[in-house]
Amino acid sequence: QVQLVESGGGLVQTGGSLRLSCAWSGLAFEDYHIGWIRQVPGKEREGVASIHSQKGDTVYADSVKGRFIISRDSTANTVYLQMNDVKPEDAAVYYCVAEYGPLSRWNLENPAEYDYWGQGTRVTVSS
């Protein structure tokens, strides 16, 4: 059983930084990718970033490129999302997601296709 547990959400000031963590378990094969999806009530889900388990390849949404960094600690089964220069439009519930197989931009553009989801962690941005 795959489990994804997010942590690290909270209140951050505009221009500040925040780091989200996703501790995972139960992924049985080496070929998978883990990423972050965010959602604001009333809006569509948006793929934010994802990283492949083996190669470490990453993809980012244009809206966060250059500000957010996704990384992984394979020994700790944890993926991180370092959020820098946070903007008001970054406020959302952030979900950790995972799927077996290779990583491509298509995955971020079709967030509903991810097979495994965490419970979400809320990020609030103050001005």
Side-chain angles (χ1 to χ4, degrees), residues 25-77:
S25 62
L27 289 164
F29 306 105
E30 291 299 320
D31 185 13
Y32 60 87
H33 50 277
I34 295 181
W36 294 90
I37 304 294
R38 66 187 181 186
Q39 186 166 27
V40 176
K43 295 188 177 181
E44 291 189 358
R45 296 167 178 167
E46 179 188 12
V48 176
S50 192
I51 186 167
H52 191 268
S53 59
Q54 292 178 307
K55 301 176 182 179
D57 293 352
T58 57
V59 292
Y60 292 93
D62 290 342
S63 59
V64 306
K65 197 174 296 183
R67 299 188 298 119
F68 290 10
I69 301 171
I70 189 170
S71 62
R72 74 195 195 284
D73 182 345
S74 299
T75 60
N77 287 2

Side-chain angles (χ1 to χ4, degrees), residues 1-15:
Q1 181 180 0
V2 175
Q3 289 190 322
L4 306 170
V5 180
E6 304 96 332
S7 61
L11 178 65
V12 58
Q13 286 189 328
T14 298

